[in-house]
Amino acid sequence: MAPTSCSLCRDAKAILKRPKTGQQICKDCFFFVFETEVHHTITEAELFKSGDRVAIGASGGKGKTTAVIWPDMLIVLMADSTVLAYVMKTLNDRYNYGLELFLLSIDEGITGYRDDSLETVKRNQQQYDMPLKILSYDELYGWTMDAIVEQIGKKNNCTFCGVFRRQALDRGANSLNVDHIVTGHNADDIAETVLMNIMRGDIARLGRCTLICTQGEDTIKRSKPFKYAYEKEIVMYAYFKKLDYFSTECIYSPDAYRGHARTFLKDLEAARPSAIIDIIHSGEAFEVKEEIKAAQKAQQTCKRCGYMSSNDLCKACTLLEGLERGMASSVITDRARKKMDAMGPTPENLRTIPLFRSTPTITVEMPSQS
Amino acid sequence: MASTISINIVFSGGLELLFGNERNHSVSIPNFVPSDNSTCSTPSSSSSSTPPSDNVVSSTGAGDTKAADLEYLIYHLRDHLLKERPELFMENGTIRPGILVLINDTDWELEGEGSYQLCDNDEILFISTLHGG
């Protein structure tokens, strides 16, 4: 086949077929359109204002329950958060957003899994000259994922990891005193979540899951600058920019339901690449009735740690209590919670998970001068 | 006349785990290969142990041939290089959706995908995007 020339500059050799538009474009035009689209996503949604302190969730994760495709083998690609850090820095410099950027990374304590990826994050910190904060499950909760799996087995451990990671990002953001956390959720992730919420009949979440910016727990905003960026392009961007990223497998068990949704989505994309953006569009177009939106339980603060919660205890404190009392595998539902309460009073010496709220002294590992 | 061509293979994004945790491989394949993508090195020995999965098995191996293409290479990698779980690499006679393929640093979608005719010293990169975290 004769080389195709770029449909934008009509000059250089095309290296990529864009899934969103079908355009065949060259490397330089690809970098330009990818970055510019993220810039437009950010400016149209007015995500930031000058002077904002923004943490980039560089856990390598999605900030959601561990997603997985490959049965009993979780591949975590750091590409998303590595590309996010790189693009945020590029746009902040190019368009003078005036943001103060931080890398925030979570160490789940899975031997051989996050160790190497944390090394990548540390290299990113030096490459991008950003302060880095690493917060571990061990220091927050007193439990590593290794210890949790040892106690409860490989079933349901994604529930723990998901709740613990989300709260860890919020608590880490508190300790950095930031206004905003950005995460690497991409168009594929959001389309997949739309599908899952439809399949589960979770209309309240369906209404929320396409929002680019949410302000759930606490006052810290969370947003997704890659909301409209295809995973294919993120991975291609990392490859052609030669960004230093990392991939490995989680040795613990996967979230099978999300895996099925992902496989289904990838099959749809293979048949018609616009499917991903089309599903997001459908998700955005749903109008959820006010009474369904309001069906969420009233928010209060956790009686033990002070984190936002819809029950007396927040999810992390509930899960932690179950772990400490050796009843962890049954603490996932409200009914199991009642059963645990019936087993006797809560032990006195239970850990209070630190909140790090507006701490005056911020301990951040600064990039070393090299 | 050289009867084989040499192809450089790179696996990335976690895909290397299916291939003995090795990222870089070099394979040698014939210039002309069976049209049915059967990958036994000698086409006459039809009794070789190809996996009885979704491989299109013809009556005998001595059928038509075609110039070596990427589709054939995918079967070759599955039959000779892959160490475990072929269903994570191939699906319905092609690469599993969600795995990106680059031919000499160009998206294979611009090069005719499976019908791309391989050349000596081509570099084929497979990147998995299927992941969680």
Side-chain angles (χ1 to χ4, degrees), chain A residues 1 4 13-17 24 60-64 66-77 80 165 231-232 235-236 239-240 245 247 249 263 266-267 270, chain B residues 12-18 84-85 87-88 91 96-112 115-116 123 125 127-133:
Chain A
M1 255 191 198
T4 326
K13 177 181 180 285
I15 48 93
L16 173 79
K17 184 171 177 189
Q24 313 190 343
K62 304 293 193 187
K64 300 190 67 68
T66 42
V68 77
I69 299 313
W70 296 7
D72 70 26
M73 167 167 155
L74 172 56
I75 300 299
V76 170
L77 193 71
D80 296 43
R165 188 181 313 113
E231 190 148 75
K232 173 180 174 181
V235 172
M236 288 287 202
Y239 175 73
F240 285 120
Y245 72 86
S247 56
E249 59 180 303
T263 308
K266 285 288 146 189
D267 289 343
Chain B
S12 151
L15 212 49
E16 61 273 23
L17 295 164
L18 302 180
E84 53 188 305
R85 287 177 285 185
E87 72 280 7
L88 300 182
E91 195 179 291
R96 190 160 178 247
I99 296 174
L100 305 180
V101 186
L102 287 103
I103 301 167
N104 301 322
D105 269 357
T106 297
D107 191 351
W108 78 326
E109 291 182 45
L110 300 179
E111 302 278 0
S115 64
Y116 170 79
E123 183 180 277
L125 168 65
I127 313 177
S128 174
T129 68
L130 303 170
H131 66 276

Side-chain angles (χ1 to χ4, degrees), chain A residues 87-334:
Chain A
V87 171
M88 283 300 296
K89 182 173 169 58
T90 302
L91 297 179
N92 193 31
D93 293 348
R94 183 182 300 162
Y95 296 104
N96 298 312
Y97 290 168
L99 304 179
E100 217 180 319
L101 298 172
F102 302 84
L103 285 168
L104 172 59
S105 191
I106 308 301
D107 179 4
E108 297 93 340
I110 302 176
T111 308
Y113 157 69
R114 203 56 102 191
D115 300 357
D116 297 336
S117 69
L118 285 171
E119 286 309 309
T120 308
V121 174
K122 284 181 189 166
R123 279 200 303 274
N124 283 171
Q125 169 204 10
Q126 304 212 340
Q127 288 155 356
Y128 305 151
D129 194 31
M130 286 183 207
L132 164 70
K133 168 85 185 172
I134 298 175
L135 201 56
S136 71
Y137 283 9
D138 196 17
E139 72 180 281
L140 268 180
Y141 308 113
W143 288 77
T144 61
M145 275 311 287
D146 284 344
I148 292 172
V149 172
E150 195 176 315
Q151 169 148 344
I152 68 166
K154 292 195 177 181
K155 218 177 154 211
N156 287 333
N157 74 76
C158 292
T159 306
F160 284 80
C161 202
V163 169
F164 281 1
R165 188 181 313 113
R166 187 184 167 85
Q167 286 212 11
L169 273 178
D170 279 339
R171 291 166 199 266
N174 261 329
S175 82
L176 288 168
N177 205 13
V178 298
D179 310 288
H180 216 122
I181 306 173
V182 290
T183 55
H185 291 86
N186 58 43
D188 298 51
D189 297 326
I190 293 171
E192 174 187 294
T193 307
V194 170
L195 289 178
M196 284 176 72
N197 286 331
I198 291 173
M199 293 190 288
R200 287 195 287 229
D202 193 336
I203 308 303
R205 279 211 177 78
L206 177 63
R208 277 179 277 141
C209 72
T210 53
L211 297 176
I212 188 166
C213 182
T214 53
Q215 194 151 11
E217 292 84 4
D218 242 303
T219 54
I220 299 171
K221 289 187 204 160
R222 285 170 161 268
S223 58
K224 309 171 182 116
F226 283 170
K227 180 183 170 187
Y228 298 113
Y230 272 57
E231 190 148 75
K232 173 180 174 181
E233 296 199 353
I234 292 171
V235 172
M236 288 287 202
Y237 187 91
Y239 175 73
F240 285 120
K241 282 276 184 189
K242 300 190 166 43
L243 298 183
D244 185 6
Y245 72 86
F246 175 79
S247 56
T248 185
E249 59 180 303
C250 175
I251 50 181
Y252 301 133
S253 76
D255 176 350
Y257 201 65
R258 184 168 281 277
H260 290 311
R262 188 63 145 213
T263 308
F264 176 57
L265 186 69
K266 285 288 146 189
D267 289 343
L268 288 180
E269 185 192 11
R272 195 172 59 122
S274 69
I276 288 175
I277 215 79
D278 295 341
I279 290 170
I280 296 177
H281 180 68
S282 301
E284 289 170 336
F286 280 113
E287 262 192 62
V288 178
K289 280 187 191 164
E290 283 305 319
E291 60 256 41
I292 289 177
K293 276 190 213 164
Q296 268 182 294
K297 283 191 193 169
Q299 294 287 301
Q300 47 182 328
T301 52
C302 172
K303 293 210 163 101
R304 190 166 297 150
C305 75
Y307 190 86
M308 290 289 275
S309 172
S310 47
N311 292 302
D312 283 355
L313 288 185
C314 73
K315 280 190 188 142
C317 282
T318 311
L319 290 173
L320 194 59
E321 183 176 335
L323 275 174
E324 298 287 350
R325 297 176 70 176
M327 302 148 82
S329 52
S330 62
V331 190
I332 288 143
T333 61
D334 277 355

Side-chain angles (χ1 to χ4, degrees), chain A residues 39-89:
Chain A
H39 172 62
H40 286 159
T41 305
I42 288 170
T43 49
E44 273 163 31
E46 296 175 16
L47 287 185
F48 312 114
K49 54 182 192 303
S50 184
D52 273 357
R53 293 163 62 90
V54 178
I56 297 161
S59 71
K62 304 293 193 187
K64 300 190 67 68
T65 30
T66 42
V68 77
I69 299 313
W70 296 7
D72 70 26
M73 167 167 155
L74 172 56
I75 300 299
V76 170
L77 193 71
M78 290 281 296
D80 296 43
S81 50
T82 302
V83 174
L84 182 63
Y86 181 87
V87 171
M88 283 300 296
K89 182 173 169 58

